[in-house]
Amino acid sequence: MTLGQRIQELRKGLGLSQEELGERMGVSRQAISKWEGDQTIPELDNLIALSRLFGLTVGQLLGVEQPVPTPPAAPAKMPRRMKLLMSGMGAVLAVLSVMTGLLWSQLQALDRRTVLDEAYVNCYNKELFQTAECQLSGVDYGSPWYEGGQDLALEFTLRPVQQFKGWSVLGYTAEIQGRAAPWWLEPGGQPEDGDPPPRTEHLAADPKTGKAVLTLSGYRGESATVWAILREDSTGRKLETGVVFTATPEIEPSTLALTAIHVEADPAPDALIPKSIALALPDPRFEK
């Protein structure tokens, strides 16, 4: 850095214009401009005046001597009384933080207990699901039902109404009722006394979509009755609905051919549900 550049930088550091610096030095603005442009060099008395103004030695101003670094100021010591006060305040804040956390956890536990102790009431003829669908696949119609050469898949989809916010479909319970085989297929050609006892299957549902699939392998004209199980995500409490889906085969009496499978979906099954939700559900008796 040249002398002129150094004078310019120091002048700007003091917030002075060339004219103001000239007034302090007793010279014209043009003289200051020539110094800063390295067109002329200040005389000795002007160098001494500049160094005093900028708080430097002449050697430092000329750049032949390094500025003496200013030692960092020692941090002020905190009075003992202030230290004790700050320490006491820190302890108080720590205690308050712990107490606040305990109080918050107790309030959450109380709210959870209040929810878990909520009474359940019977709900009739009110829609619990805004979506209740069943898709069939895997069976071709026209063959005798007892041949059992195909697998029937029933895909269930349920989505609760908005009053069940925070609840999801946990799964399904399916009761499957089989049919007694035709008498001529039984040993000795004697008919069975009745249909075989029903069996039960439990299906886990996708927590995001409420979907689950019931597969009836080697379908032989079984009927299926399906209930839904819901769970509240925050508390884990559950409820089971009444029948939501029924699947019933249609069989031609003369040929015993499977001609159709009828599925009925009921989005408003009977159920025992929390009282707060039952009161929030719209009453169909007052709907237009």
Side-chain angles (χ1 to χ4, degrees):
M1 181 183 294
T2 65
L3 174 60
Q5 292 172 338
R6 194 172 294 108
I7 293 173
Q8 184 183 53
E9 183 180 272
L10 293 169
R11 172 181 63 78
K12 291 182 177 180
L14 293 178
L16 299 175
S17 64
Q18 289 183 342
E19 186 174 357
E20 290 171 336
L21 179 59
E23 291 177 356
R24 292 197 181 191
M25 296 296 298
V27 298
S28 65
R29 184 193 64 78
Q30 289 79 4
I32 300 297
S33 177
K34 289 181 179 181
W35 291 351
E36 293 182 352
D38 291 316
Q39 298 176 12
T40 60
I41 298 175
E43 296 181 357
L44 180 59
D45 57 344
N46 287 330
L47 287 173
I48 295 173
L50 284 171
S51 63
R52 289 177 179 174
L53 177 63
F54 296 142
L56 301 172
T57 66
V58 175
Q60 291 170 344
L61 180 61
L62 293 173
V64 297
E65 181 182 337
Q66 293 295 328
V68 179
T70 304
K77 292 185 177 180
M78 185 181 294
R80 176 178 174 80
R81 181 176 299 178
M82 182 60 71
K83 288 183 177 180
L84 293 175
L85 178 61
M86 295 297 292
S87 177
M89 290 179 62
V92 171
L93 290 175
V95 172
L96 287 176
S97 177
V98 172
M99 292 180 63
T100 302
L102 291 175
L103 180 59
W104 177 249
S105 62
Q106 289 177 355
L107 288 175
Q108 286 185 317
L110 180 61
D111 290 343
R112 179 182 175 86
R113 176 51 54 191
T114 301
V115 171
L116 292 175
D117 289 343
E118 181 181 7
Y120 279 52
V121 297
N122 288 310
C123 179
Y124 305 102
N125 301 321
K126 292 185 178 182
E127 287 196 357
L128 307 184
F129 302 100
Q130 55 182 313
T131 301
E133 299 175 348
C134 177
Q135 300 291 331
L136 303 178
S137 61
V139 169
D140 295 326
Y141 302 116
S143 301
W145 64 265
Y146 52 82
E147 289 184 350
Q150 306 175 81
D151 295 340
L152 172 64
L154 298 93
E155 182 182 79
F156 307 112
T157 302
L158 283 179
R159 186 169 61 178
V161 294
Q162 62 180 1
Q163 286 79 5
F164 277 97
K165 182 178 180 180
W167 291 69
S168 57
V169 179
L170 179 63
Y172 301 86
T173 300
E175 185 177 88
I176 303 161
Q177 177 62 62
R179 305 172 65 87
W183 64 269
W184 61 85
L185 296 179
E186 295 294 336
Q190 297 297 322
E192 289 283 346
D193 294 336
D195 293 332
R199 70 178 191 276
T200 302
E201 289 194 20
H202 300 284
L203 310 173
D206 185 301
K208 294 183 179 180
T209 62
K211 292 181 180 291
V213 177
L214 172 64
T215 301
L216 301 178
S217 302
Y219 182 68
R220 294 170 61 89
E222 293 95 339
S223 301
T225 305
V226 182
W227 298 263
I229 303 169
L230 276 64
R231 179 179 63 186
E232 188 175 31
D233 301 330
S234 60
T235 63
R237 58 178 176 167
K238 302 175 184 178
L239 66 87
E240 186 176 37
T241 71
V243 175
V244 183
F245 299 104
T246 56
T248 307
E250 180 180 292
I251 296 174
E252 167 61 40
S254 60
T255 62
L256 298 183
L258 179 67
T259 57
I261 297 176
H262 298 287
V263 176
E264 295 183 5
D266 183 5
D270 296 343
L272 194 64
I273 67 175
K275 185 176 181 180
S276 59
I277 298 178
L279 294 174
L281 292 172
D283 194 326
R285 294 175 298 177
F286 301 103
E287 293 181 353
K288 295 182 180 180

